[in-house]
C-alpha cells in the first residue's frame, strides 16, 4: 500500500485541522460536517489578498477534499470559508460517494 506520510503524523495533522475549524473559524458554515481545514491568505502588492481554504471532510460516507480560492476575496475564512461551506453542504446532500 502507498502512504504519503506516517499514520501518526496524519492523525495529528487531521486533529489540528479539525481544531482550527471548531476553535478558530467557527463550525457554523459546516454544520453537521466533520470539516478539517486550514485557511490561507495570499497578499497582493496592491494591498488586496486572495482568500484560500483547504481541507477535507472526516467522513467515510462523504470523503471529500477541497481547495477553495477566491481571487481578491480578502483574508482566509472571510470569503473562501463561506463558499466552501455552501458547496460541501450541497455535495453531502446531493452526491453519492
Amino acid at each position: 500500500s502507498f502512504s504519503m506520510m506516517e499514520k501518526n503524523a496524519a492523525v495529528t495533522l487531521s486533529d489540528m485541522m479539525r481544531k482550527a475549524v471548531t476553535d478558530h473559524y467557527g463550525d457554523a458554515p459546516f454544520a453537521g460536517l466533520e470539516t478539517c481545514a486550514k485557511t490561507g491568505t495570499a497578499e497582493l502588492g496592491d494591498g488586496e489578498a486572495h482568500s484560500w481554504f483547504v481541507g477535507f471532510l472526516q467522513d467515510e460516507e462523504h470523503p471529500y477534499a477541497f481547495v477553495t480560492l477566491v481571487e481578491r476575496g480578502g483574508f482566509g475564512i472571510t470569503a473562501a470559508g463561506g463558499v466552501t461551506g455552501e458547496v460541501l453542504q450541497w455535495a453531502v446532500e446531493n452526491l453519492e460517494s
Side-chain angles (χ1 to χ4, degrees):
S1 91
F2 180 76
S3 177
M4 296 291 288
M5 69 174 61
E6 296 292 325
K7 183 176 181 174
N8 290 343
V11 169
T12 299
L13 185 57
S14 296
D15 291 346
M16 291 169 70
M17 291 173 76
R18 180 69 185 134
K19 188 171 178 57
V21 172
T22 59
D23 293 2
H24 300 290
Y25 311 140
D27 224 6
F30 319 104
L33 306 176
E34 292 290 318
T35 308
C36 301
K38 178 69 180 96
T39 60
T41 302
E43 296 180 19
L44 304 169
D46 62 6
E48 291 194 49
H50 297 321
S51 173
W52 285 84
F53 201 55
V54 179
F56 60 94
L57 292 184
Q58 209 166 33
D59 179 348
E60 288 186 30
E61 271 187 64
H62 306 99
Y64 305 137
F66 58 85
V67 175
T68 306
L69 165 66
V70 178
E71 291 184 358
R72 298 184 181 277
F75 294 94
I77 194 70
T78 306
V83 170
T84 302
E86 288 184 38
V87 172
L88 288 175
Q89 292 291 354
W90 180 90
V92 166
E93 292 170 12
N94 295 285
L95 299 178
E96 293 183 30
S97 22

